[in-house]
């Protein structure tokens, strides 16, 4: 059973940086999507960045050039490096994971992810 545990959230000033981590215990799929999502109260969860098992990445336009998603497969850990933080980056950040069959494309930015972590709060004050 896959378990996702996020960490690294904090309260920071605008312009600051954070690195979020997500440990994916029990990740045994050969092909998968991993993603970071953000949710603020009263709004739907939205995708921030995603990475596939081949290393392909994708970003929401609002974070391009500021955020970097990466993975350390040997540690089963997903990261989100966040620089130049803005107040609109505030929210609960969730890690998601989804297995991909051998006969299908990744399309990580358009998936309904099957597994989720509990979230880590990021608050950016201006």
């Amino acid at each position: 059973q896959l378990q996702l545990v996020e960490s690294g959230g904090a309260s920071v000033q605008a312009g600051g940086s954070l690195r979020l981590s997500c440990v994916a215990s029990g990740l045994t799929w050969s092909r998968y999507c991993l993603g970071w999502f953000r949710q603020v109260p009263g709004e739907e969860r939205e995708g921030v960045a995603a990475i596939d098992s081949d290393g392909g990445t994708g970003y929401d336009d609002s974070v391009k050039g500021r955020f970097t998603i990466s993975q350390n497969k040997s540690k089963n850990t997903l990261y989100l490096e966040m620089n130049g933080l803005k107040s609109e980056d505030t929210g609960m950040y969730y890690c998601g994971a989804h297995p991909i069959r051998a006969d299908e494309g990744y399309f990580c930015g358009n998936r309904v992810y099957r597994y989720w972590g509990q979230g880590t709060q990021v608050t950016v004050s201006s």
Side-chain angles (χ1 to χ4, degrees):
Q1 182 73 15
L2 180 66
Q3 184 178 18
L4 303 173
V5 179
E6 303 97 332
S7 62
S11 294
V12 298
Q13 294 285 328
S17 298
L18 283 175
R19 188 175 81 157
L20 305 184
S21 299
C22 172
V23 178
S25 302
L27 179 61
T28 59
W29 310 321
S30 58
R31 300 180 79 242
Y32 54 80
C33 289
L34 297 175
W36 286 101
F37 298 78
R38 175 176 60 221
Q39 188 169 27
V40 297
E43 297 185 14
E44 292 187 359
R45 191 176 302 184
E46 60 180 5
V48 174
I51 188 168
D52 62 49
S53 45
D54 286 338
T57 60
Y59 298 89
D60 183 79
D61 286 345
S62 66
V63 306
K64 281 181 181 177
R66 299 188 297 122
F67 290 10
T68 303
I69 189 170
S70 62
Q71 59 179 322
N72 184 324
K73 289 188 175 183
S74 65
K75 295 183 178 180
N76 272 355
T77 301
L78 176 71
Y79 302 100
L80 184 67
E81 192 75 36
M82 309 166 72
N83 298 310
L85 282 162
K86 305 176 180 179
S87 56
E88 52 262 44
D89 296 321
T90 293
M92 185 70 78
Y93 281 72
Y94 295 91
C95 170
H98 192 85
I100 304 297
R101 296 195 316 266
D103 62 347
E104 63 178 339
Y106 283 112
F107 306 112
C108 292
N110 294 301
R111 295 279 178 184
V112 177
Y113 283 56
R114 186 180 301 176
Y115 297 92
W116 295 96
Q118 83 291 346
T120 186
Q121 177 68 35
V122 172
T123 303
V124 184
S125 56
S126 56

